[in-house]
Amino acid sequence: MFNMIITGKCSKNCSFCFTEEEARKEKKYDDMSLDYIKEIVEKYEYKKRGHVLKLLGGEPTEHPQFLDIIEYAAKEQIPVYLISNFLFGTKIQEGILKHIDTFTSFLVNGAELAEKNRLKNFAKNFNKIAYQFARSKQGGKQKFTLAQTIPDTHYDVINFTEYLKSLKRELDFSNLGNIRIGLGLSGTYLLHNKKLGDKVAEILRFNRENRLGTQFDCQFPPCIFTDEHFKEFETPSFSLWNNVTANPDAKTFPGGICHMPAFDLMPDETLLYCYQTQSAISPKLPDLEKSVDPETLKDSFIGKLGAGLDHVVSQRLRASYLEEREKRPTLDECKSCHLYPQYCGSLCLGCYL
């Protein structure tokens, strides 16, 4: 279901943050109210349909009612997936531990922790919560993931192997399941960027040596990898192609590196396919809802199969994405690539904007 962007506040200020600096400084996005969160949970039948309450920001723990949101989810037995920088204080940590059985997954931003003495506080939260989560009802180490983002600038001078080793000295990796690799922002700088592929390979080797799973964020065109990379990392249980939609159909899935992710619901009720596409697609959720007649949906074929309002909203937003993507011609650099179109459908919409 939705990625609930419950606040625009975040005090970490990562160099690669996809939220524009102006939006952070001007506090473009306020806090999503608890009443509105409850409204979404009820309207979209989270409990009935088994939806997970995905809490993002900004930094969600900086929401003034964060603990109230967790209390509500625990009371209603709605599982929570938290994406956080884990730089919060003792009160937030204790609130999370109190309801640790409510959480189904954690994605923890582990980048740029060497700055401003962040690692000490991060490690305190990471080690306590990861330990308890590994032993919780819905948890387990495979659902606890550390995110490592490769920025779009100065990445070539960062030694990711040494950085991850420095984290391992402070963090109890025995309760960590995966490292998720992301790329800072999007754009054509990705294409055939073998230096970038080398940096991804550094993290892949570290994961392999430490028996950690690897997850890819979006924006990984296969052309960043060399033949040597594929030979080194391709195994029956892991593939560099996991982030690519094989044989993409240009009319239904343009941009083979787009996962068609969950939608971001902003505090102002704007619905985004992903943050980078907001200049092209940013409808208001109430407007999409008004276009759906509940009775017609109930009597429709998909309605009889059990589909609800969530299905229709997602399909309409997806259609808008595809329409906008088709307006962008495939880059000549992609057309001449041996991977196109059989293995990659060129860049996603976000990379064009």
Side-chain angles (χ1 to χ4, degrees):
M1 204 50 230
F2 305 120
N3 292 325
M4 304 287 279
I5 312 300
I6 63 173
T7 182
K9 294 192 291 283
C10 182
S11 57
K12 188 177 180 183
N13 294 320
C14 294
S15 66
F16 52 81
C17 184
F18 52 74
T19 305
E20 292 103 330
E21 186 176 3
E22 294 78 10
R24 296 198 302 272
K25 287 182 177 179
E26 297 173 6
K27 298 182 180 179
K28 180 178 178 181
Y29 296 110
D30 294 324
D31 301 317
M32 185 179 288
S33 72
L34 176 56
D35 285 341
Y36 184 66
I37 293 171
K38 291 179 179 179
E39 178 186 328
I40 292 297
V41 167
E42 293 170 7
K43 182 184 295 183
Y44 287 85
E45 303 177 307
Y46 269 55
K47 192 170 183 178
K48 175 182 177 181
R49 297 183 178 279
H51 292 322
V52 174
L53 185 60
K54 301 176 184 176
L55 302 180
L56 295 79
E59 169 51 41
T61 64
E62 292 186 26
H63 189 291
Q65 290 185 286
F66 174 76
L67 293 180
D68 294 328
I69 295 169
I70 301 305
E71 289 276 359
Y72 163 73
K75 180 181 178 181
E76 297 298 321
Q77 297 181 317
I78 306 296
V80 174
Y81 178 7
L82 179 62
I83 299 180
S84 169
N85 62 31
F86 262 44
L87 295 176
F88 41 75
T90 302
K91 184 177 179 180
I92 296 294
Q93 181 203 104
E94 291 175 348
I96 292 173
L97 291 174
K98 177 183 176 182
H99 295 294
I100 195 67
D101 288 334
T102 298
F103 291 87
T104 186
S105 297
F106 286 92
L107 178 58
V108 183
N109 178 3
E112 300 182 359
L113 292 173
E115 302 176 21
K116 303 177 183 179
N117 198 29
R118 292 168 172 160
L119 184 53
K120 182 178 180 180
N121 186 38
F122 181 91
K124 178 181 66 175
N125 291 321
F126 179 100
N127 290 334
K128 287 186 178 180
I129 293 174
Y131 177 85
Q132 294 294 338
F133 182 67
R135 293 152 181 81
S136 67
K137 290 182 179 179
Q138 300 192 84
K141 61 182 292 182
Q142 293 307 319
K143 297 180 180 180
F144 202 99
T145 301
L146 183 70
Q148 180 60 57
T149 301
I150 301 174
D152 58 336
T153 59
H154 70 275
Y155 59 83
D156 53 331
V157 298
I158 301 175
N159 187 320
F160 288 97
T161 301
E162 290 305 314
Y163 177 73
L164 290 170
K165 285 182 178 178
S166 72
L167 295 188
K168 188 180 178 183
R169 288 192 289 269
E170 302 295 330
L171 307 179
D172 183 359
F173 273 25
S174 67
N175 296 310
L176 177 67
N178 313 281
I179 290 182
R180 181 181 177 92
I181 309 173
L183 301 179
L185 293 179
S186 54
T188 56
Y189 88 98
L190 298 168
L191 296 177
H192 301 283
N193 192 332
K194 306 303 183 187
K195 287 184 179 180
L196 190 60
D198 287 337
K199 291 301 175 180
V200 175
E202 287 183 25
I203 301 175
L204 292 175
R205 293 187 187 102
F206 178 88
N207 290 355
R208 183 175 60 194
E209 292 167 4
N210 290 275
R211 297 185 178 182
L212 293 169
T214 296
Q215 296 178 358
F216 284 117
D217 205 339
C218 58
Q219 308 174 46
F220 279 77
C223 59
I224 69 174
F225 298 115
T226 65
D227 291 341
E228 288 72 23
H229 289 148
F230 283 103
K231 290 177 183 178
E232 179 179 359
F233 296 112
E234 289 290 309
T235 69
S237 59
F238 177 77
S239 174
L240 293 177
W241 297 103
N242 283 347
N243 60 301
V244 176
T245 303
N247 300 310
D249 181 334
K251 292 184 178 180
T252 59
F253 232 114
I257 62 172
C258 180
H259 292 179
M260 291 291 181
F263 315 119
D264 294 341
L265 180 58
M266 311 303 286
D268 64 355
E269 298 186 294
T270 298
L271 199 58
L272 304 180
Y273 208 94
C274 69
Y275 194 89
Q276 287 90 332
T277 66
Q278 64 177 315
S279 62
I281 312 169
S282 54
K284 295 287 187 178
L285 179 58
D287 293 335
L288 287 177
E289 292 173 340
K290 289 176 184 176
S291 68
V292 181
D293 177 50
E295 291 303 316
T296 302
L297 172 61
K298 182 179 178 181
D299 294 335
S300 68
F301 175 73
I302 60 171
K304 291 178 180 177
L305 289 176
L309 184 62
D310 53 345
H311 176 82
V312 179
V313 168
S314 64
Q315 288 299 310
R316 292 188 179 179
L317 192 60
R318 173 190 167 100
S320 298
Y321 171 92
L322 296 172
E323 181 181 346
E324 286 295 325
R325 174 59 180 82
E326 288 177 351
K327 294 177 183 178
R328 275 76 181 177
T330 301
L331 300 171
D332 290 338
E333 191 172 356
C334 291
K335 289 180 179 178
S336 61
C337 178
H338 69 286
L339 298 171
Y340 178 84
Q342 185 176 4
Y343 298 110
C344 179
S346 185
L347 295 177
C348 66
L349 176 61
C351 295
Y352 280 82
L353 303 174

